[in-house]
Amino acid sequence: MFFGAKDGWIKPETMNVEKRWFVNVILPLPLPDLFTYEVPEEMREGVSPGVRVVVQFGKQKVYSALVYECHHQAPQQYSVKEVLAVLDELPVVTHQQFKLWKWMSEYYQCAMGEVMLAALPSALRLESESKITRNPSFNHDTSTLTDHEYVVYEALEFKEELTLKEVSKILSLKYVLPVVRSLVNKNVLLVHEEVEERYKPRFVDLISLNEVDFPEDVLGDLMNKLEKKAPKQSDLILTFLHLSKELDAKSISKVLLIKKSGSNTTALNALLKKGVLLSEKKQEDRIQAYTGKLIPPLVLNPFQEQALLDTEMAFENGKVGLLHGVTSSGKTELYIHLIKKKLDEGKQVLYLLPEIALTTQLITRLQKHFGDRLLVYHSRFNEQERVEVWNKLLADNLTSESSSYMVIGARSSVFLPMEKLGLTIVDEEHDQSYKQVDPAPRYNARDAAIVMAAHQDASILLGTATPSMESYFNALSGKFDLITLDRRHAELEMPLVSIVNMKDARNRKQVSGNFSHALLDELKLILKEKQQAILFQNRRGFAPYLECNVCSWTPLCTNCDVSLTYHKFKNEIRCHYCGYVQAPPQKCLQCGDQDIRMKGFGTERIVEDLQLILPDANIARLDYDTTRSKSGYHQIITSFEEGKIDILVGTQMITKGLDFDRVQLVGVLNADSILHYPEFRAHERGFQLLSQVSGRAGRRMHGKVLIQAYHVDSPVLAYVLKHDFKGFYMHELAERHRFFYPPYCRLIEIRLKHRDEKKADQLSKELTTELKKMFSNRVLGPTIPYVNRVRNFYLRQLIIKLEKTISVNEVKKSLQSALEEFKKRPENRQLIIQVDVDPL
């Protein structure tokens, strides 16, 4: 598919062969412009928008770039280089993707190359690697070489070429370019660039029986002989015959055959050499096929049926649907009915989730309905698996089958090549995980999904129990259609929420460590009744910080202005901003005293303390530290579902849409840390987190929720107690209107970073002065953020508040121009400026 000529896209067959051919390409770099290259005559047939081409950029560097448009217009500003190679027969990026990229680049004020870096799987992004070889014309006089230079020269005696990474490893040096440059100047080495395709298809060895040369009678005689002389070969044949019958397959995987037979490759090679068995390589998907039976969607209850009708009506009206369904109201079942209808129409479906942990449960559930039509895509997949999902969708775009693929994934899934999109579901639409903060593009996947659906005339449904202020405002003002599910499935009541006043409990000596006696009594009752509990604490690690009991000294990160979190399991203190790690101090570095105490508590400490209080309970935690591996989420959640875990302790990962049958109790250990944060969205996020985690309780029985807090007079807690979203919304909306915050205005945040604190202060004030000339009192700041320094950069912030009546596009153009002029000044070159549109 191609744009019309007015958009700069021309079908290759309509281009004049006699004229010179040029392509504008997107380079995977944060550059504001596209770059033009000439297409050699022999490559013209394979060039079209969306294919990857190899181009040289700069003096030496080689990249794979994406063709954005084809034309005959030579650039006037610079001499044009030629395309070096065409990598694809068919486009790997579609017309609809480029439309979304262009919108994202303009709306979020970033370069197309930055969008490309976020969108393409890394295995599809190729970059040249510098390699060194010996110069054949060198006279072998090594007397002028330094020790490091001679080591590199000698290393090339054993290996013809080396990468810079290998040179760095050989020399045990971080920076090796000076050594390599010196060797090149002395004519000892030659440097060249190589581009290598990173995606490698997986091949499997399949073993089959040579039925022509070894029919049944001949094979029987052979096995009788082998049984005495080579029993392992005989076992291999018997195992092959058994597996072939069991799996109803004429060829068996080599790995499976050896594993099941208990034999070895020596025996197998002997049978292959005799011609009894045959071997062939076959390309295999890394995505495992679903082998279970498919089941139809469940019958909806009357309330779900009405919600389904309301949703379809919203789609017919061409509006975004906002499904406001209380926790455990059966939103997923409604989604399944909508998905099936679209897939049966031959349309593709995108199902977005904010957290990878949620995909673990839903994959199992959805596969029972859609089998191999379900594809999964998120950052825990390796780059090879992500390319295979990408390629499946590209192939699906070209088919006219009556049933297409659906994709379930996290925010990066909005970049997938879906040309037949019929429905997008954004589950837990309120969640801040949909917003990417760094690097650019700083996009919100929910908003990008709405735009993508509009581009393809597809239906879109936002679903949540706690809508964001903006989405609910849009629904009440008529921009979205509001669909309501206000009853739990099977007429279950909402969980009973109680607040534990921790200040009062401590005064009454009704607290053990970080647990109120009320919470411990409920946990003991849960264990007695063989039910399960979830405990929520939004801090991982053992203790948020260490402190000297004499002088109050606290160990801080060397790169950031934050305290280091103590992790007891690894016996380390770690920065959760930059990853800096060191051993815990044995004494105070300020006064020398050895009385270093742990302050606060994280999920790791809760598990340890609770294990001492409830020694017979099986306790586990779900946080970033326990789910780093690809299967980490699956193992913990599956164990909890199967009842192998009694109490699950976790961060906000456990608050989001997980469905457990036997969870009767939810405990929130420190609500104050959620509600008292210096940010205008703190109450909204606090209400959402507390409501969502409360919703994990009593999904098959009546549940209880205990919230521990010191400041129990918070208005947010009063609304959580009554499960009163509308009351909270009206209260918060009045506050937003009073102080002119979204949804009554738009925000653009400008973040400045500089390694010199004085320069950060000075330049942020200068920029503020210049922007105020353009936008007057709409510019607020500069302010010093809560964390002043991250990764050795000092941070400053500006906020631009814009009325809804102002043209945001015009503001962005003026802002972009002003920022580019500001950055051009020589004294500002070390300043990093980041623009975040619609910050969270």
Side-chain angles (χ1 to χ4, degrees):
M1 185 180 287
F2 299 84
F3 282 123
K6 63 178 181 181
D7 296 307
W9 289 53
I10 306 170
K11 292 185 180 182
E13 61 265 26
T14 65
M15 292 185 69
N16 192 323
V17 179
E18 295 179 1
K19 291 184 178 180
R20 296 172 69 188
W21 274 40
F22 299 94
V23 288
N24 290 347
V25 302
I26 306 171
L27 286 160
L29 299 168
L31 301 169
D33 301 312
L34 303 180
F35 288 83
T36 304
Y37 288 82
E38 185 167 7
V39 183
E41 189 173 346
E42 65 274 13
M43 296 182 193
R44 292 177 185 176
E45 189 176 339
V47 172
S48 62
V51 303
R52 294 173 302 159
V53 292
V54 178
V55 296
Q56 182 182 340
F57 187 74
K59 291 184 179 179
Q60 282 189 319
K61 205 67 179 170
V62 177
Y63 293 95
S64 65
L66 274 170
V67 175
Y68 183 73
E69 53 194 1
C70 308
H71 58 89
H72 294 301
Q73 188 67 44
Q76 303 298 318
Q77 300 88 348
Y78 52 88
S79 58
V80 69
K81 295 177 182 176
E82 286 193 342
V83 169
L84 302 178
V86 180
L87 296 175
D88 307 301
E89 293 182 9
L90 295 171
V92 297
V93 175
T94 69
H95 165 61
Q96 293 294 348
Q97 285 176 288
F98 275 134
K99 281 179 71 176
L100 181 67
W101 291 16
K102 187 177 181 183
W103 170 83
M104 197 171 279
S105 171
E106 293 171 352
Y107 187 83
Y108 292 108
Q109 294 195 266
C110 60
M112 287 280 275
E114 291 174 306
V115 182
M116 174 183 171
L117 284 169
L120 280 185
S122 55
L124 292 179
R125 302 192 310 260
L126 309 184
E127 183 179 334
S128 66
E129 187 171 26
S130 299
K131 295 191 176 183
I132 61 171
T133 57
R134 278 189 178 181
N135 187 345
S137 61
F138 180 60
N139 61 10
H140 302 286
D141 179 10
T142 58
S143 59
T144 61
L145 302 185
T146 66
D147 290 345
H148 280 150
E149 290 170 356
Y150 184 77
V151 170
V152 176
Y153 175 80
E154 197 174 41
L156 288 167
E157 180 79 30
F158 303 99
K159 194 173 180 182
E160 286 187 9
E161 62 178 20
L162 295 170
T163 66
L164 294 184
K165 286 182 182 178
E166 290 171 329
V167 174
S168 179
K169 196 171 181 180
I170 290 168
L171 297 179
S172 298
L173 290 175
K174 191 173 182 181
Y175 302 105
V176 295
L177 278 176
V179 177
V180 172
R181 192 177 294 116
S182 176
L183 285 166
V184 170
N185 291 338
K186 292 175 181 178
N187 292 319
V188 178
L189 300 183
L190 295 175
V191 180
H192 65 282
E193 299 287 317
E194 274 190 17
V195 176
E196 185 179 357
E197 184 73 71
R198 288 159 66 181
Y199 171 65
K200 308 286 185 187
R202 174 189 281 177
F203 288 92
V204 62
D205 289 318
L206 293 179
I207 306 300
S208 58
L209 181 65
N210 185 352
E211 295 178 344
V212 176
D213 296 338
F214 291 87
E216 193 172 332
D217 55 335
V218 177
L219 186 64
D221 293 339
L222 175 66
M223 288 179 66
N224 290 332
K225 294 177 183 177
L226 291 175
E227 195 170 351
K228 297 178 181 178
K229 296 182 178 179
K232 287 193 174 183
Q233 293 181 33
S234 176
D235 289 344
L236 262 172
I237 298 173
L238 280 171
T239 304
F240 175 87
L241 295 172
H242 174 72
L243 286 173
S244 180
K245 186 177 181 181
E246 182 184 330
L247 301 174
D248 191 24
K250 290 202 170 186
S251 56
I252 307 296
S253 158
K254 174 182 174 181
V255 174
L256 179 65
L257 181 59
I258 291 175
K259 182 181 177 182
K260 291 289 186 179
S261 67
S263 188
N264 53 45
T265 52
T266 305
L268 178 61
N269 289 336
L271 289 171
L272 291 171
K273 190 174 181 180
K274 292 172 183 174
V276 181
L277 298 178
L278 304 173
S279 175
E280 65 168 333
K281 286 190 179 293
K282 186 178 179 182
Q283 188 172 335
E284 181 186 61
D285 278 351
R286 290 179 171 86
I287 303 163
Q288 292 184 352
Y290 179 70
T291 56
K293 291 183 179 180
L294 299 185
I295 61 173
L298 298 177
V299 176
L300 300 179
N301 64 37
F303 307 106
Q304 292 170 320
E305 280 283 1
Q306 186 58 51
L308 181 62
L309 291 173
D310 293 343
T311 302
E312 290 175 338
M313 183 65 69
F315 293 167
E316 287 178 16
N317 294 335
K319 285 191 175 183
V320 175
L322 175 63
L323 175 61
H324 179 204
V326 297
T327 54
S328 193
S329 58
K331 294 187 290 293
T332 306
E333 285 303 326
L334 191 147
Y335 297 156
I336 289 169
H337 280 259
L338 291 169
I339 291 166
K340 185 177 187 307
K341 183 177 179 181
K342 289 296 180 182
L343 291 181
D344 290 345
E345 292 173 0
K347 297 289 188 178
Q348 297 162 336
V349 176
L350 177 60
Y351 191 142
L352 288 177
L353 289 164
E355 196 74 61
I356 298 169
L358 292 179
T359 64
T360 303
Q361 261 197 341
L362 269 174
I363 290 165
T364 304
R365 188 170 176 181
L366 293 175
Q367 275 183 332
K368 292 176 182 178
H369 297 287
F370 306 113
D372 290 340
R373 290 292 173 186
L374 174 66
L375 300 177
V376 185
Y377 191 84
H378 54 65
S379 59
R380 290 294 169 96
F381 274 28
N382 64 45
E383 61 182 40
Q384 308 290 335
E385 291 170 322
R386 297 180 88 182
V387 171
E388 291 194 359
V389 173
W390 191 282
N391 289 339
K392 276 181 178 287
L393 289 169
L394 286 173
D396 189 39
N397 292 336
L398 303 175
T399 68
S400 56
E401 292 185 23
S402 59
S403 185
S404 284
Y405 285 114
M406 72 163 292
V407 178
I408 183 170
R411 65 172 180 247
S412 60
S413 302
V414 296
F415 294 116
L416 285 167
M418 305 178 82
E419 289 275 292
K420 300 190 297 184
L421 186 66
L423 171 66
T424 298
I425 295 169
V426 184
D427 203 9
E428 309 296 341
E429 68 84 25
H430 66 277
D431 201 285
Q432 61 183 348
S433 298
Y434 282 124
K435 173 72 174 181
Q436 175 157 307
V437 179
D438 271 319
R442 296 173 180 85
Y443 68 99
N444 190 313
R446 176 197 62 200
D447 299 340
I450 292 172
V451 171
M452 180 173 66
H455 285 168
Q456 300 201 44
D457 197 24
S459 303
I460 181 161
L461 181 64
L462 315 180
T464 178
T466 53
S468 64
M469 294 294 294
E470 288 86 348
S471 293
Y472 203 70
F473 183 83
N474 285 335
L476 294 187
S477 61
K479 188 175 180 181
F480 296 171
D481 264 8
L482 181 63
I483 303 111
T484 304
L485 256 178
D486 55 7
R487 300 201 187 189
R488 281 190 144 193
H489 188 67
E491 296 293 321
L492 282 169
E493 293 182 16
M494 295 296 289
L496 176 66
V497 182
S498 303
I499 308 294
V500 179
N501 188 328
M502 290 297 284
K503 189 182 293 184
D504 184 57
R506 285 199 182 277
N507 290 336
R508 294 171 179 269
K509 301 190 184 303
Q510 294 178 349
V511 175
S512 297
N514 298 300
F515 308 99
S516 65
H517 289 177
L519 178 58
L520 291 175
D521 289 344
E522 290 292 343
L523 286 170
K524 290 172 184 176
L525 183 62
I526 289 297
L527 293 173
K528 185 179 179 181
E529 295 178 351
K530 305 294 184 184
Q531 299 300 320
Q532 293 174 305
I534 285 176
L535 297 183
F536 169 53
Q537 168 63 3
N538 208 24
R539 293 296 295 264
R540 60 189 172 96
F542 193 86
Y545 64 101
L546 305 179
E547 184 179 271
C548 172
N549 197 41
V550 176
C551 70
S552 299
W553 170 81
T554 296
L556 301 175
C557 176
T558 59
N559 308 314
C560 313
D561 281 342
V562 293
S563 57
L564 296 170
T565 300
Y566 176 55
H567 291 255
K568 188 174 182 179
F569 179 73
K570 293 186 175 180
N571 192 33
E572 65 185 23
I573 50 178
R574 172 183 289 273
C575 174
H576 287 176
Y577 281 79
C578 71
Y580 171 78
V581 176
Q582 69 176 55
Q586 299 302 307
K587 64 180 181 178
C588 175
L589 298 186
Q590 189 164 284
C591 71
D593 196 272
Q594 294 184 352
D595 190 5
I596 307 292
R597 300 189 179 183
M598 293 173 285
K599 297 292 182 177
F601 59 98
T603 51
E604 194 177 358
R605 182 168 189 166
I606 293 166
V607 171
E608 183 177 292
D609 291 352
L610 204 57
Q611 200 73 71
L612 294 173
I613 299 169
L614 305 170
D616 296 329
N618 293 316
I619 305 169
R621 61 189 170 101
L622 182 73
D623 57 26
Y624 180 75
D625 296 326
T626 60
T627 57
R628 290 176 187 246
S629 68
K630 181 181 172 182
S631 59
Y633 289 112
H634 180 75
Q635 290 171 357
I636 295 169
I637 289 173
T638 301
S639 295
F640 194 57
E641 282 181 318
E642 293 173 351
K644 296 175 183 176
I645 298 168
D646 299 315
I647 302 170
L648 183 62
V649 179
T651 56
Q652 59 180 310
M653 288 181 183
I654 62 172
T655 70
K656 304 174 182 180
L658 293 169
D659 187 2
F660 301 111
D661 291 352
R662 294 171 52 208
V663 174
Q664 194 171 337
L665 175 69
V666 165
V668 178
L669 295 175
N670 185 10
D672 303 279
S673 64
I674 304 167
L675 300 174
H676 300 96
Y677 194 80
E679 208 272 330
F680 82 93
R681 294 187 192 271
H683 280 184
E684 179 186 2
R685 287 177 182 162
F687 179 85
Q688 289 166 345
L689 276 172
L690 293 174
S691 297
Q692 289 285 343
V693 75
S694 298
R696 301 315 108 210
R699 298 176 78 88
R700 300 294 182 275
M701 66 200 82
H702 190 55
K704 294 181 182 179
V705 180
L706 263 66
I707 300 175
Q708 296 185 166
Y710 285 89
H711 299 88
V712 296
D713 56 347
S714 167
V716 176
L717 292 178
Y719 292 116
V720 172
L721 272 172
K722 296 180 288 186
H723 304 285
D724 185 7
F725 172 78
K726 289 183 181 177
F728 169 76
Y729 170 79
M730 297 308 296
H731 175 271
E732 186 68 11
L733 195 67
E735 290 291 298
R736 300 283 182 92
H737 185 268
R738 181 183 173 194
F739 295 103
F740 192 53
Y741 274 108
Y744 293 104
C745 72
R746 295 180 183 275
L747 298 182
I748 298 177
E749 182 178 285
I750 301 167
R751 289 193 285 270
L752 308 179
K753 297 183 177 183
H754 204 289
R755 292 191 180 275
D756 186 309
E757 187 172 15
K758 290 182 179 178
K759 278 283 187 183
D761 274 327
Q762 175 197 333
L763 296 178
S764 62
K765 289 173 183 175
E766 288 178 9
L767 180 59
T768 303
T769 302
E770 294 196 15
L771 292 181
K772 281 188 173 181
K773 293 175 184 176
M774 301 171 64
F775 306 116
S776 65
N777 61 357
R778 296 182 182 89
V779 181
L780 306 179
T783 60
I784 300 174
Y786 186 70
V787 177
N788 175 37
R789 181 172 61 101
V790 175
R791 300 180 188 271
N792 286 319
F793 281 98
Y794 291 91
L795 313 180
R796 298 295 180 267
Q797 291 177 338
L798 307 175
I799 293 284
I800 302 177
K801 279 186 176 182
L802 301 171
E803 301 92 331
K804 288 280 187 86
T805 53
I806 290 179
S807 170
V808 179
N809 289 334
E810 291 302 317
V811 169
K812 288 177 185 175
K813 286 178 185 176
S814 301
L815 177 61
Q816 193 69 31
S817 177
L819 294 179
E820 286 175 4
E821 286 299 317
F822 192 77
K823 285 189 286 187
K824 282 180 183 177
R825 300 174 191 172
E827 64 272 22
N828 297 348
R829 286 176 183 168
Q830 300 302 314
L831 180 70
I832 297 172
I833 301 178
Q834 296 176 339
V835 179
D836 190 356
V837 180
D838 302 334
L840 291 182

